[in-house]
Amino acid sequence: MSAPRLEIDLGRLQHNAITLVRRLARQGISVSGVSKAVLGLPEIVHLWLAAGVSSIGDSRLETIEAMAHAGITAPLLLIRTPMLSQVERVVAHAATSCNSEPVVIKALAAAALRQRRRHGVLLMVELGDLREGILPPDLTAIAELTLGLPSLRLVGIGSNLGCQHGVAADADNMGELSALANALEARFGISLELISGGNSANLPWLEQGGAPGRINHLRLGEALLLGREPLGRTAIPGLHTDAFKLVGELIEVKTKPTRPWGRQGLTSFSDESPRQPSLREDRGLRQRGLLALGLQDVDPAGLEPPPGVSIVGASSDHLVVEADHPLSVGEELSFSPNYSALLRAMTSLFVERLCIDGEAKAPRGAAASTAQAPRPGSQPGTTLEGDSERALVATTS
Ligand SMILES: *Cc1c(COP(=O)(O)O)cnc(C)c1O
């Protein structure tokens, strides 16, 4: 088995999906599974759909296309405002896209007309996190524009909080979204299908008894995958937080001084490493392990080491650890990735994926299948072909 590898416990992911979908359904809220951190991995998308998510959302058109080519027939939602240069492809593969720009909406309408399709538009509203979204006073005019374009369907309105400035969902901003939905429906005599309140960062508000009002849809990634809400990184009750493990292999184990010697400048990653000031102290001789795992594979700041092990530094290809127990060359260490580390590991060409089913208590690796994630950006129509090695060859040749 090769390292580094990401071990993906499908049983735990299935449990998370079933639990969240059921819990939110009791509040009248449907769920789009957001697959961007796992690049639309078919194994995960299929289990989400079986668990009852209503659609699959992704921010990357390439991943949407790869999912369509992989035979996923569920509605695909592009959760990032389309690039003007990609509207034809968006209309061809995504049932609906999130939008905030009139020029893009008009271009989508023209593309949909050319392709004889009807494309869904979810209008994103800015509610304070200052990433994407139409400012509330401008919403009516843009809704009117959308309604006037027969090749488009105004599916609903939505908002995104938490991702840029960590703004939390609360009674004020969610109440404003509900009020905007009511106002649009009254003004135009329409009924909006989706009032999409936000992402995993909305869950604490609901758990604390927030009234959903008109909110009937959430787009969830981190909660489904890692069982956590992003704002406080707290575990969501009843969910698995350990469905993913990143496994690295030790390539050097030596007892070395804890302080470098020689004149020091910056490093390639300029951020002074080791980061923790205490690690700059002279702590005498320590056992240091070097893993074949680095910034080209993962965001090391997002890794939680196993018990008794601490991370003291990282560069492109090496992760340096200290341990309070003996390490040996060839030994593997398992780390828990946060969202950032997971995203980077899934995107790296060097990290193998291994799907296991922990619920079924299959011995590790025995019932395993090597996951073939869509590799966005390769040849159109063949985006699902090739393992990481072949993909690597393709990009370096
Ligand atoms: C990433 C993203 C999501 C999912 O966010 P999580 O915090 O992973 O649930 C939802 N909506 C949009 C627009 C996103 O970009």
Side-chain angles (χ1 to χ4, degrees), residues 19-313:
T19 306
L20 272 174
V21 166
R22 278 196 194 143
R23 207 178 271 178
L24 290 165
R26 285 200 288 271
Q27 295 181 280
I29 294 173
S30 67
V31 173
S32 285
V34 173
S35 59
K36 67 189 178 207
V38 291
L39 275 68
L41 194 74
E43 283 88 342
I44 296 180
V45 168
H46 284 302
L47 74 82
W48 281 353
L49 290 167
V53 305
S54 57
S55 67
I56 301 296
D58 205 286
S59 49
R60 305 284 170 153
L61 178 61
E62 291 79 358
T63 304
I64 298 259
E65 288 175 336
M67 287 191 284
H69 289 136
I72 288 159
T73 51
L76 300 173
L77 168 67
L78 182 66
I79 60 173
R80 185 171 71 181
T81 298
M83 285 186 235
L84 206 44
S85 56
Q86 293 187 332
V87 288
E88 292 287 345
R89 292 165 61 192
V90 171
V91 166
H93 291 106
T96 300
S97 57
C98 293
N99 282 276
S100 60
E101 285 292 353
V103 62
V104 175
I105 293 168
K106 287 184 209 157
L108 286 167
L113 203 61
R114 276 192 293 274
Q115 296 181 33
R116 299 174 192 283
R117 287 175 196 266
R118 199 140 185 248
H119 183 70
V121 166
L122 186 77
L123 293 178
M124 297 301 279
V125 185
E126 175 62 70
L127 292 178
D129 197 50
L130 293 178
R131 205 181 68 182
E132 74 272 39
I134 299 160
L135 290 161
D138 301 329
L139 181 62
T140 308
I142 298 179
E144 188 166 22
L145 165 80
T146 309
L147 289 165
L149 295 164
S151 57
L152 299 182
R153 190 167 70 88
L154 180 59
V155 170
I157 61 173
S159 68
N160 195 69
L161 298 168
C163 287
Q164 179 71 13
H165 289 285
V167 171
D170 60 22
D172 287 344
N173 48 40
M174 290 299 101
E176 184 174 3
L177 193 64
S178 288
L180 289 166
N182 288 336
L184 282 185
E185 290 184 345
R187 165 87 185 247
F188 298 109
I190 54 173
S191 152
L192 296 172
E193 182 186 317
L194 293 182
I195 317 298
S196 187
N199 53 45
S200 300
N202 286 56
L203 294 172
W205 165 70
L206 285 172
E207 305 242 323
Q208 287 151 25
R214 293 293 315 276
I215 311 299
N216 65 3
H217 178 254
L218 290 177
R219 310 171 307 274
L220 301 181
E222 183 161 0
L224 289 169
L225 297 167
L226 296 173
R228 293 182 187 276
E229 56 80 22
L231 296 180
R233 306 270 197 280
T234 47
I236 297 167
L239 300 189
H240 292 294
T241 56
D242 54 358
F244 293 89
K245 283 267 173 273
L246 186 70
V247 181
E249 183 178 321
L250 285 157
I251 53 171
E252 181 189 299
V253 178
K254 293 191 190 306
T255 299
K256 293 189 183 183
T258 41
R259 290 193 64 187
W261 59 92
R263 208 168 64 86
Q264 285 181 273
L266 296 172
T267 71
S268 299
F269 297 97
S270 73
D271 178 20
E272 223 186 326
S273 172
R275 295 177 183 82
Q276 299 99 319
S278 66
L279 294 174
R280 282 187 222 126
E281 290 161 19
D282 190 354
R283 291 170 299 116
L285 292 171
R286 288 289 165 110
Q287 175 192 233
R288 284 186 156 230
L290 217 55
L291 291 122
L293 183 66
L295 290 149
Q296 213 163 7
D297 310 293
V298 71
D299 173 9
L303 289 181
E304 191 190 308
V309 175
S310 49
I311 298 172
V312 296

